Amino acid sequence: MDGRTDYEKVVELLQNGTEDRELDYKSYLDLSKGSKHSVELAKDCAAMANLPRGGYIVVGAKDNGDLATDADPITREQFDSATLTQKVRDYIDGPIHITSAVHEVSGWLVAVIHIRPDDTAGLPVVMGKHGGLPQRDGQNRNPVFYEGQILTRQGSMNTPMSYSQWDDALVRYRERITREASAYTNGLLHQILDAVRDQGSDRPVTVPLQPEMDLATLSTAVGQNFEAGAAGVTCIRRFLTVVQKSARPTPSSSGEKALDQLCLIALSAADFRHDEVYEQAIGILASLYTNVGGFGGRDAYLPPDIKNRYLLAVLVRVFIIGSHMVRESHWEWIPSLVRRPILLEPSYTYLTWLRHGQVQASRNGLMRADDHGRPGTGGNMLALCRSHMLDRPELRTDCPDASIEVGRTDELLDSLCQFDMLWCLIIATQPSDQIGYEYYASFAGFFGDRAEPILDELVRSEPMRRTLFADTDDRTIAAAMKQVVEHATRESQVMGVHTEIRLSPRVAQFIAEADN
């Protein structure tokens, strides 16, 4: 749930192809005064506002995501964000945030509505008054919801909150409490460090690292330890071995907190230019992926659903690290991130875990894709990663909230698309008898100008090409560019995005010279 309502997001949601807890399709809504649809919309929005991350409503689509061209067309005027918010708030007691947009998809108007929970208090919203639909006699009203009722989603249905759902409903409240505690802890840590520095001691100040630390506190502590020199680096490396143990998933623990900690340390190591710590963190992620996945003769002894979700979780952190390297131009860290082959059997090896992980997630229904492992945009890899970073600012310290706009200007999404382009190019230059199947351009699900700048940068900078592609000659690199761009164009047409990678004259000439 990344909150976007742009054209790319509409196509992404339509390709999801099925309703779920966080997505509802509606063929048509008439929100004029007195319409029954206004009451139903209030119920939908209230239920989604009580989910941990909110949800989306797409209007103008059938239950399978196809355009509802056999229904009445919607009008733009009824789906203004302020208008929708007012209509819904008339029925709700509690804060709710609604953003919307209307786009033309294949000649048909489609509205996308994003319902975001309020993070201030973190408490569920309550229906503020009765809502009902008029019966045929025009007098009595069939109740849709009652004053004081708390709604949520179960599958694709709106339901009253049950006891078993309260834990889920209070996720944001617990996060608020954690943030408040973290702010206090972080402030205290800074005071202690400042006090030690004020004493004028020449001895390096190291901070003990604990797995229980939240990301904000850990980020501060890791940065201080890098600044402390050798003693601090030793502390970080010891901590990594501890985290490796807690990062393994079990039936009772997903290990995701530890994965975020590994990701954070890899990012910090790159920023402090400490290659040994970086390689150790990436090596641990790769080892966890291989061992938990049961590859290379290893047996993970985990239920398939836990194993497959974990592999996808590791992959999300890898893409986050890759996007950071793009934003900071840390090209030297990217090849080792990409070139991690996965041996499935003696006769077949994936050239990179990046491709294997997406295929695995797709085949197990985690990304709603076709049989060829191509992810549907309801689970587009880059959208998943962007959403994860939005919720964890410590994993994007170079990219604060103010630099992320919902819409065309989006530094996070742009860098994810550019890293996606780079890993596809790196793999496309490798010898393989699986032409076209060793990589997948997830950036094809977005506008081409998000990925285009990285091609220009590659062509302009020979040192960058040598860093990323080692001894690969320019002819091979140019051929890979042409191949990946053509692949992305085909995939975008299937998705309905119609991505067009506009090659600059410099890039077009680079490719043309290689062809000759």
Side-chain angles (χ1 to χ4, degrees), residues 132-179:
L133 303 179
Q135 293 187 353
R136 290 183 179 179
D137 59 13
Q139 301 298 318
N140 298 320
R141 303 181 72 85
N142 286 325
V144 176
F145 48 79
Y146 301 96
E147 182 179 2
Q149 194 172 37
I150 301 177
L151 300 170
T152 188
R153 300 269 291 180
Q154 186 167 355
S156 61
M157 303 295 292
N158 300 321
T159 63
M161 186 82 70
S162 65
Y163 175 82
S164 63
Q165 294 168 317
W166 271 103
D167 185 64
D168 196 40
L170 293 175
V171 164
R172 295 190 309 279
Y173 176 76
R174 292 195 297 272
E175 289 176 347
R176 188 197 104 196
I177 299 301
T178 300
R179 285 195 303 270

Side-chain angles (χ1 to χ4, degrees), residues 44-252:
D44 292 329
C45 291
M48 285 190 170
N50 288 333
L51 298 178
R53 302 288 173 250
Y56 281 98
I57 299 172
V58 178
V59 186
K62 299 177 182 179
D63 290 347
N64 62 357
D66 290 345
L67 298 177
T69 53
D70 55 348
D72 292 335
I74 65 171
T75 59
R76 292 182 181 271
E77 296 75 19
Q78 294 194 14
F79 293 93
D80 171 74
S81 296
T83 301
L84 290 174
T85 300
Q86 185 57 52
K87 285 182 177 293
V88 171
R89 281 183 176 167
D90 285 345
Y91 292 97
I92 290 178
D93 180 14
I96 188 170
H97 303 278
I98 296 175
T99 54
S100 61
V102 178
H103 301 278
E104 186 173 317
V105 180
S106 300
W108 189 252
L109 289 183
V110 178
V112 57
I113 305 170
H114 177 248
I115 301 93
R116 179 174 64 85
D118 181 74
D119 292 327
T120 306
L123 298 173
V125 299
V126 180
M127 304 315 298
K129 64 181 181 181
H130 293 300
L133 303 179
Q135 293 187 353
R136 290 183 179 179
D137 59 13
Q139 301 298 318
N140 298 320
R141 303 181 72 85
N142 286 325
V144 176
F145 48 79
Y146 301 96
E147 182 179 2
Q149 194 172 37
I150 301 177
L151 300 170
T152 188
R153 300 269 291 180
Q154 186 167 355
S156 61
M157 303 295 292
N158 300 321
T159 63
M161 186 82 70
S162 65
Y163 175 82
S164 63
Q165 294 168 317
W166 271 103
D167 185 64
D168 196 40
L170 293 175
V171 164
R172 295 190 309 279
Y173 176 76
R174 292 195 297 272
E175 289 176 347
R176 188 197 104 196
I177 299 301
T178 300
R179 285 195 303 270
E180 292 173 353
S182 172
Y184 172 78
T185 304
N186 227 9
L188 184 61
L189 179 59
H190 279 294
Q191 290 179 26
I192 294 172
L193 292 175
D194 290 342
V196 173
R197 293 191 189 102
D198 290 343
Q199 292 177 1
S201 173
D202 293 331
R203 296 181 60 186
V205 180
T206 61
V207 181
L209 304 178
Q210 299 295 328
E212 294 78 19
M213 284 180 168
D214 59 69
L215 285 181
T217 306
L218 181 65
S219 178
T220 300
V222 167
Q224 171 60 32
N225 282 347
F226 273 121
E227 291 177 356
V233 169
T234 299
C235 181
I236 294 172
R237 299 196 69 174
R238 287 174 179 168
F239 179 68
L240 282 172
T241 62
V242 174
V243 174
Q244 181 173 9
K245 297 176 183 177
S246 60
R248 289 185 61 88
T250 66
S252 60

